[in-house]
Coordinates of all heavy atoms in Angstrom, one line a residue:
Chain A
N155 N 3.9 7.7 10.7 CA 2.8 8.6 10.8 C 1.9 8.5 9.5 O 2.0 9.4 8.6 CB 3.3 10.0 11.1 CG 2.2 11.0 11.2 OD1 1.0 10.7 11.1 ND2 2.5 12.3 11.3
E227 N 14.1 11.5 17.9 CA 14.5 11.6 16.5 C 14.2 10.4 15.7 O 14.0 10.5 14.5 CB 16.0 11.8 16.4 CG 16.4 13.3 16.7 CD 17.8 13.6 16.1 OE1 18.5 12.6 15.7 OE2 18.2 14.8 16.1
D230 N 8.5 9.0 13.8 CA 7.9 9.8 12.7 C 6.8 10.7 13.2 O 6.3 11.5 12.4 CB 7.4 8.8 11.6 CG 7.2 9.5 10.3 OD1 7.9 10.5 10.0 OD2 6.3 9.0 9.6
R232 N 7.2 13.0 15.6 CA 7.7 14.1 16.5 C 7.2 15.4 16.1 O 7.2 16.4 16.9 CB 9.2 14.0 16.5 CG 9.9 14.4 15.2 CD 11.4 14.0 15.3 NE 12.2 14.8 16.2 CZ 13.1 15.6 15.9 NH1 13.5 15.7 14.6 NH2 13.8 16.2 16.8
W234 N 4.3 16.4 15.9 CA 3.2 16.7 16.7 C 3.6 17.5 18.0 O 2.8 18.2 18.6 CB 2.4 15.5 17.2 CG 1.8 14.6 16.1 CD1 1.5 15.1 14.9 CD2 1.5 13.2 16.2 NE1 1.0 14.0 14.2 CE2 1.0 12.9 14.9 CE3 1.5 12.3 17.2 CZ2 0.5 11.6 14.6 CZ3 1.1 11.0 16.9 CH2 0.6 10.7 15.6
K285 N 14.1 2.0 13.6 CA 14.2 2.9 12.4 C 14.7 2.1 11.2 O 14.1 2.0 10.2 CB 15.2 4.0 12.7 CG 14.8 5.2 12.0 CD 15.3 6.4 12.6 CE 15.1 7.5 11.6 NZ 16.1 8.5 11.8
D286 N 15.9 1.5 11.3 CA 16.4 0.8 10.2 C 16.4 -0.7 10.4 O 16.9 -1.5 9.6 CB 17.7 1.3 9.7 CG 18.6 1.7 10.9 OD1 18.4 1.2 12.0 OD2 19.5 2.5 10.7
E288 N 14.2 -4.0 12.9 CA 13.0 -4.2 13.7 C 13.3 -4.2 15.2 O 14.5 -4.4 15.6 CB 12.3 -5.5 13.3 CG 13.0 -6.7 13.6 CD 12.3 -8.0 13.3 OE1 11.1 -8.0 13.1 OE2 12.9 -9.1 13.4
P335 N -4.8 -7.7 4.1 CA -4.6 -6.7 3.1 C -4.9 -7.3 1.7 O -4.3 -8.5 1.4 CB -3.2 -6.4 3.3 CG -2.5 -7.5 3.9 CD -3.6 -8.3 4.7
T341 N -10.0 -8.4 -6.7 CA -9.9 -9.5 -5.8 C -10.7 -9.2 -4.5 O -11.4 -10.0 -4.0 CB -8.5 -9.8 -5.5 OG1 -7.7 -9.9 -6.7 CG2 -8.3 -11.1 -4.7
D350 N -16.4 -14.3 1.7 CA -15.1 -14.5 2.5 C -14.8 -13.4 3.5 O -14.1 -13.7 4.4 CB -14.0 -14.8 1.5 CG -14.1 -16.1 0.7 OD1 -14.9 -16.9 1.2 OD2 -13.5 -16.3 -0.3
R514 N 4.8 7.0 -6.0 CA 6.1 6.7 -5.4 C 7.3 7.6 -5.8 O 8.2 7.8 -5.0 CB 6.4 5.2 -5.5 CG 6.6 4.8 -6.9 CD 7.0 3.3 -7.0 NE 7.3 3.0 -8.4 CZ 6.4 2.4 -9.1 NH1 5.3 1.9 -8.6 NH2 6.7 2.1 -10.4
R521 N 9.1 18.2 -5.2 CA 10.1 18.9 -4.4 C 11.2 19.4 -5.2 O 11.9 20.4 -4.8 CB 10.7 17.9 -3.3 CG 9.7 17.6 -2.2 CD 10.3 17.2 -0.9 NE 9.2 17.1 0.0 CZ 8.5 16.0 0.2 NH1 8.8 14.9 -0.5 NH2 7.5 16.0 1.0
H541 N -4.0 23.4 9.6 CA -3.1 22.4 9.1 C -2.7 22.7 7.6 O -1.5 22.8 7.3 CB -3.8 21.0 9.2 CG -2.9 19.9 9.1 ND1 -2.7 19.2 7.9 CD2 -2.1 19.2 9.9 CE1 -1.9 18.2 8.0 NE2 -1.6 18.2 9.3
W559 N 5.0 21.4 2.3 CA 4.3 20.9 1.1 C 3.8 22.0 0.2 O 3.0 21.7 -0.7 CB 3.1 20.0 1.6 CG 3.6 18.7 2.2 CD1 4.2 18.5 3.4 CD2 3.5 17.4 1.6 NE1 4.5 17.2 3.6 CE2 4.1 16.5 2.5 CE3 3.0 16.9 0.4 CZ2 4.2 15.1 2.2 CZ3 3.1 15.5 0.1 CH2 3.7 14.6 1.1
Chain B
V111 N 12.9 4.0 -9.6 CA 11.6 3.5 -9.1 C 10.9 4.6 -8.2 O 9.7 4.7 -8.3 CB 11.9 2.3 -8.2 CG1 10.6 1.7 -7.6 CG2 12.5 1.2 -9.1
D113 N 11.2 7.4 -4.5 CA 11.9 7.9 -3.4 C 11.4 7.1 -2.1 O 10.3 7.3 -1.7 CB 11.6 9.4 -3.2 CG 12.2 9.9 -1.9 OD1 13.2 9.3 -1.5 OD2 11.7 10.9 -1.4
G120 N 5.5 10.2 7.2 CA 4.2 10.8 7.0 C 4.2 12.2 6.5 O 5.3 12.7 6.3
V121 N 3.1 12.8 6.1 CA 3.1 14.1 5.5 C 3.6 15.2 6.5 O 4.2 16.1 6.0 CB 1.7 14.5 5.0 CG1 1.2 13.6 3.9 CG2 0.7 14.5 6.2
E122 N 3.5 14.9 7.7 CA 3.9 16.0 8.7 C 5.4 16.0 9.0 O 5.8 16.9 9.7 CB 3.0 15.9 10.0 CG 1.6 16.3 9.7 CD 0.6 15.7 10.8 OE1 0.9 14.7 11.4 OE2 -0.5 16.4 10.9
T123 N 6.1 15.0 8.6 CA 7.5 14.9 8.9 C 8.2 16.1 8.3 O 8.0 16.4 7.1 CB 8.0 13.6 8.3 OG1 7.2 12.5 8.8 CG2 9.5 13.3 8.8
D127 N 14.0 16.1 9.2 CA 14.0 14.8 9.6 C 14.0 13.8 8.4 O 14.6 12.8 8.5 CB 12.6 14.5 10.3 CG 12.7 15.1 11.7 OD1 13.8 15.4 12.2 OD2 11.6 15.3 12.3
R128 N 13.4 14.3 7.3 CA 13.5 13.5 6.1 C 14.9 13.3 5.6 O 15.3 12.2 5.2 CB 12.6 14.1 5.0 CG 11.6 13.2 4.5 CD 10.7 13.8 3.4 NE 9.3 13.9 3.9 CZ 8.5 14.9 3.9 NH1 9.0 16.1 3.4 NH2 7.3 14.8 4.3
R130 N 17.6 13.6 7.3 CA 18.4 12.8 8.2 C 18.2 11.4 8.0 O 19.1 10.5 8.0 CB 18.0 13.2 9.7 CG 19.1 12.9 10.7 CD 18.8 13.5 12.0 NE 17.4 13.7 12.1 CZ 16.5 13.1 12.8 NH1 16.9 12.3 13.6 NH2 15.2 13.3 12.8
Y159 N 17.5 -5.0 6.2 CA 16.2 -4.8 6.8 C 15.3 -4.1 5.8 O 15.7 -3.2 5.1 CB 16.2 -4.0 8.1 CG 16.9 -4.8 9.2 CD1 18.3 -4.8 9.4 CD2 16.1 -5.6 10.0 CE1 18.9 -5.6 10.4 CE2 16.7 -6.4 11.0 CZ 18.1 -6.3 11.2 OH 18.6 -7.1 12.2
R164 N 10.6 -2.9 8.4 CA 11.7 -2.9 9.3 C 12.1 -4.4 9.7 O 12.9 -4.6 10.6 CB 11.4 -2.1 10.5 CG 11.9 -0.7 10.5 CD 11.0 0.2 9.6 NE 11.1 1.6 10.0 CZ 10.4 2.5 9.4 NH1 9.7 2.3 8.3 NH2 10.5 3.8 9.8
P166 N 13.7 -8.2 9.1 CA 14.9 -8.7 8.3 C 14.4 -9.3 6.9 O 13.5 -10.0 6.9 CB 15.4 -9.9 9.1 CG 14.8 -9.7 10.5 CD 13.5 -9.0 10.3
T244 N -11.8 -17.3 -2.7 CA -11.4 -16.2 -3.7 C -10.0 -15.7 -3.5 O -9.4 -15.1 -4.4 CB -12.4 -15.1 -3.7 OG1 -12.4 -14.6 -2.4 CG2 -13.7 -15.5 -4.1
V348 N -3.5 -11.3 -8.2 CA -5.0 -11.5 -8.4 C -5.6 -12.4 -7.3 O -6.7 -12.1 -6.9 CB -5.2 -12.2 -9.8 CG1 -6.7 -12.6 -9.9 CG2 -4.9 -11.3 -10.9
Q350 N -4.3 -12.7 -4.2 CA -3.7 -12.3 -2.9 C -3.0 -13.5 -2.3 O -3.1 -13.8 -1.2 CB -4.9 -11.8 -2.0 CG -4.3 -11.1 -0.8 CD -3.6 -9.8 -1.1 OE1 -3.8 -9.1 -2.1 NE2 -2.7 -9.4 -0.2

Side-chain angles (χ1 to χ4, degrees):
Chain A
N155 177 4
E227 279 203 349
D230 194 32
R232 66 193 293 242
W234 297 338
K285 213 160 169 203
D286 39 22
E288 68 175 345
T341 311
D350 290 342
R514 57 175 186 260
R521 287 209 174 85
H541 196 266
W559 288 69
Chain B
V111 177
D113 175 25
V121 294
E122 289 162 334
T123 309
D127 286 342
R128 235 179 239 132
R130 202 167 22 108
Y159 291 88
R164 269 71 156 178
T244 52
V348 170
Q350 192 63 27

